[in-house]
Amino acid sequence: MTAAATSTETPPVLLQLNDVSKQFAARVGLRKAAVSAVDGVSLTLRRGDTLGVVGESGCGKSTLARLVVGLVQCDSGDVVFDGRTYRAGRRRTRRDLRDMQMVFQDPHSALNPRATIGEAIAFPLRTQGVSRAETEARVDEVLARVGLHGNYRSHYPHQLSGGQRQRVNIARALALKPKLVVLDESVSALDKSVQAQILDLLLELQVEYGLSYLFISHDLNVVEYMSDRVAVMYLGHVVEECSAEELYRAPLHPYSQVLLESIPKLDPRERGGPSALTDGEMPSPLDPPSGCRFRTRCPFAMDVCATTRPPLVETRPGHLVACHLHPVPESATAGDPIPGEQ
Ligand SMILES: Nc1ncnc2c1ncn2[C@@H]1O[C@H](COP(=O)(O)OP(=O)(O)O)[C@@H](O)[C@H]1O
Ligand SMILES: [Mg+2]
């Protein structure tokens, strides 16, 4: 493929995070402390693409999702969405947030038990000022589109299965015709067979509505299935970001490597030995290790890892990694630095 062909095929950027950080206040005994949930994260999502985010529980995935959709405010850094820059501390209006929707993990608690399915989907449309007639039409359209034909409009959440309820949540997100949908563990609470149906539905809807997804899950198999690119998070840092194909074939960061080794294999003969991750506890986000946060569990840790945070740099075209084992290639040092390093 020629360079010209490649550049015309690259879709424009929809969402960009520039060096975004978030700390939460906490208490350790009587002492005030801070949890560093997201620290200096920079990511890019292109229009029509899916950016997967993986990492163990507590690494900051949900906080990242909430920062993107404005449920949590950044302490520093900025969120650029659809050409508009939102700096830390600037609250976004309802209008600013209209083009982004979020689908949460628990399909039941996201729905008001006293509202019918039709009311649940109509409510955000009405608060955004969509006319009554248009709301009615959109509720019917999205319910049919997620496979809930018939009289589901008048049903209450308790009358539906978990999979049906998550279809309702997806329908509600789509009804506002968003550009971005943030899916935070959206299929994690569902049975495997239902999960597969919802994932395929999401893929169909993505093409049909031209959606971009930020797809967050601790389940590496699901992320591989859904994503164009994947960011691997560890204790609030992005340690690697590249195409899904390349990450699963040839991960560069030692953390990505152990994480991928720990994926349960269907064939028992392919199963690896005990993962290196079982050797060490995840350090506390109240007191994360200096330098590279993974160094306390890394089999390759060097002195420099304790003193200097490795920047997230492009070590190969399109493949970013934050690790002192993978220094910036000579040819790349002349280019713009990639934000993310303090
Ligand atoms: N509202 C909050 N107040 C205090 N600490 C929080 C809050 N939300 C998240 N955290 C902490 O931030 C870290 C990242 O959490 P989270 O973003 O939920 O991770 P994940 O979704 O990857 O499991 C955790 O240590 C968590 O305890
Ligand atoms: Mg989470």
Side-chain angles (χ1 to χ4, degrees):
M1 200 184 294
T2 64
T6 315
S7 67
T8 52
E9 281 170 17
T10 306
V13 171
L14 178 66
L15 172 73
Q16 188 152 358
L17 303 181
N18 293 325
D19 208 2
V20 165
S21 297
K22 177 68 191 177
Q23 293 195 339
F24 292 107
R27 276 187 180 278
V28 181
L30 292 175
R31 191 169 60 88
K32 281 189 180 165
V35 177
S36 172
V38 168
D39 183 52
V41 164
S42 298
L43 286 174
T44 300
L45 169 60
R46 294 186 177 277
R47 220 174 264 274
D49 273 4
T50 299
L51 174 64
V53 180
V54 286
E56 290 165 280
S57 175
C59 72
K61 303 183 297 297
S62 293
T63 304
L64 190 73
R66 287 163 181 272
L67 288 169
V68 167
V69 300
L71 287 172
V72 155
Q73 307 300 317
C74 324
D75 298 327
S76 60
D78 42 53
V79 177
V80 184
F81 178 71
D82 206 15
R84 286 191 190 196
T85 302
Y86 302 100
R87 297 200 193 288
R90 183 179 151 193
R91 287 205 168 261
R92 284 179 273 173
T93 63
R94 193 174 278 169
R95 199 183 167 78
D96 292 331
L97 299 170
R98 189 179 51 185
D99 289 335
M100 47 174 83
Q101 290 297 312
M102 185 149 162
V103 179
F104 295 90
Q105 171 168 359
D106 182 358
H108 191 59
S109 64
L111 293 168
N112 176 354
R114 282 186 286 275
T116 64
I117 301 312
E119 287 163 353
I121 299 172
F123 183 72
L125 291 167
R126 300 292 295 145
T127 55
Q128 286 285 356
V130 177
S131 74
R132 195 170 289 276
E134 168 83 13
T135 297
E136 293 296 301
R138 278 208 219 167
V139 171
D140 284 337
E141 181 203 326
V142 291
L143 270 178
R145 196 54 208 83
V146 299
L148 294 175
H149 305 273
N151 60 351
Y152 282 102
R153 270 188 84 135
S154 53
H155 281 38
Y156 286 88
H158 74 267
Q159 296 174 293
L160 306 185
S161 68
Q164 287 172 329
R165 284 196 288 260
Q166 203 57 314
R167 285 173 192 265
V168 172
N169 287 320
I170 293 167
R172 184 169 55 175
L174 289 182
L176 284 158
K177 302 195 172 161
K179 292 178 179 160
L180 170 69
V181 182
V182 177
L183 298 142
D184 186 9
E185 304 280 5
S186 302
V187 298
S188 304
L190 305 173
D191 294 343
K192 281 281 168 219
S193 62
V194 181
Q195 207 177 65
Q197 291 166 12
I198 300 284
L199 293 177
D200 286 336
L201 172 67
L202 287 169
L203 290 175
E204 281 171 37
L205 295 170
Q206 177 166 39
V207 175
E208 196 173 321
Y209 289 85
L211 301 168
S212 307
Y213 289 150
L214 185 65
F215 188 89
I216 295 170
S217 178
H218 68 281
D219 184 333
L220 287 142
N221 288 319
V222 165
V223 169
E224 181 181 20
Y225 188 65
M226 294 298 288
S227 309
D228 297 293
R229 293 182 67 79
V230 179
V232 181
M233 283 188 79
Y234 183 81
L235 264 183
H237 287 178
V238 170
V239 297
E240 185 158 5
E241 198 238 307
C242 60
S243 72
E245 188 275 320
E246 204 162 309
L247 181 70
Y248 287 76
R249 182 171 46 79
L252 292 179
H253 197 284
Y255 176 63
S256 310
Q257 289 167 356
V258 281
L259 197 63
L260 288 162
E261 274 168 22
S262 68
I263 298 182
K265 300 275 192 328
L266 289 178
D267 181 348
R269 285 166 303 181
E270 280 184 52
R271 272 183 209 148
S275 153
L277 281 181
T278 56
D279 297 346
E281 287 275 301
M282 169 91 84
S284 165
L286 287 164
D287 187 20
S290 59
C292 172
R293 290 187 173 179
F294 185 57
R295 69 180 167 82
T296 53
R297 296 165 89 189
C298 181
F300 310 109
M302 306 173 283
D303 290 346
V304 65
C305 305
T307 55
T308 312
R309 174 176 174 178
L312 185 67
V313 290
E314 190 166 15
T315 47
R316 295 181 194 166
H319 196 141
L320 288 79
V321 62
C323 177
H324 290 299
L325 293 172
H326 300 281
V328 193
E330 292 273 305
S331 57
T333 47
D336 290 331
I338 290 162
E341 171 66 337
Q342 304 284 334

